[in-house]
Amino acid sequence: MDTKNDRDDLDADANDGRHETMAERLDRNWEEILQELRVIQTGTQILTGFLLAAVFQSRFSDLDDYQKIVYASLVVASILTTVMGLAPVSLHRILFRQHAKATIVRTTDRFLQIIMAGVALTLAGTAMLIFDFVFGRVGGVVAGVSVLLIITVLWVVVPRRLRSRFLLGAGADQLGASSGGISTSKARRE
């Protein structure tokens, strides 16, 4: 007996030009998320390893109390970020074959947003700690704030502006008139 619902064959979004069912869309979204997770997991694990190894360096004892508190906070943030980066694996394993792909994709998307925030704080804090140790407190604060501002611009502001432009129609030329995948000003005018 065929238990497949006619709705399963419907196009998930008739306006996106992909002609994929909801199941196909969820599979594609999961594959894209997995690629993002692979990148971020590697980065968080390397950063965590760096922070954990730093305590065994001979100059670690030269840190003042403030620097030790910042260091300990960074280790905690980095470990929690790494744990959060691995959480989707557990989520997928537990919900595997439970017809919960939509839940897995939605929850992992939220995990990724939290992971990105954890990475941003850890990177900025690491810059702050290193520059504080080398150049003093002001140098550390300037470095930490600078890294956080750069991350905010590149990870939040630029993508949101591009999304806004795309949603307002400026990105429509990506679907049609473009040169080798790169839009030209002439293509935008036409």
Side-chain angles (χ1 to χ4, degrees), residues 28-79:
R28 178 178 53 82
N29 289 165
W30 179 241
E31 288 298 320
E32 291 174 3
I33 284 173
L34 285 177
Q35 291 302 321
E36 294 170 9
L37 280 169
R38 285 181 184 112
V39 170
I40 201 139
Q41 284 174 345
T42 302
T44 59
Q45 290 168 357
I46 289 170
L47 186 54
T48 300
F50 162 75
L51 287 170
L52 292 174
V55 75
F56 298 107
Q57 301 303 312
S58 60
R59 294 202 56 201
F60 188 81
S61 60
D62 295 344
L63 296 180
D64 63 27
D65 288 341
Y66 168 81
Q67 292 166 334
K68 287 178 182 174
I69 290 169
V70 170
Y71 171 78
S73 300
L74 288 171
V75 168
V76 169
S78 186
I79 288 172

Side-chain angles (χ1 to χ4, degrees), residues 129-148:
L129 179 63
I130 291 170
F131 278 75
D132 183 275
F133 185 75
V134 175
F135 298 110
R137 197 75 9 108
V138 173
V141 171
V142 168
V145 169
S146 297
V147 168
L148 203 53

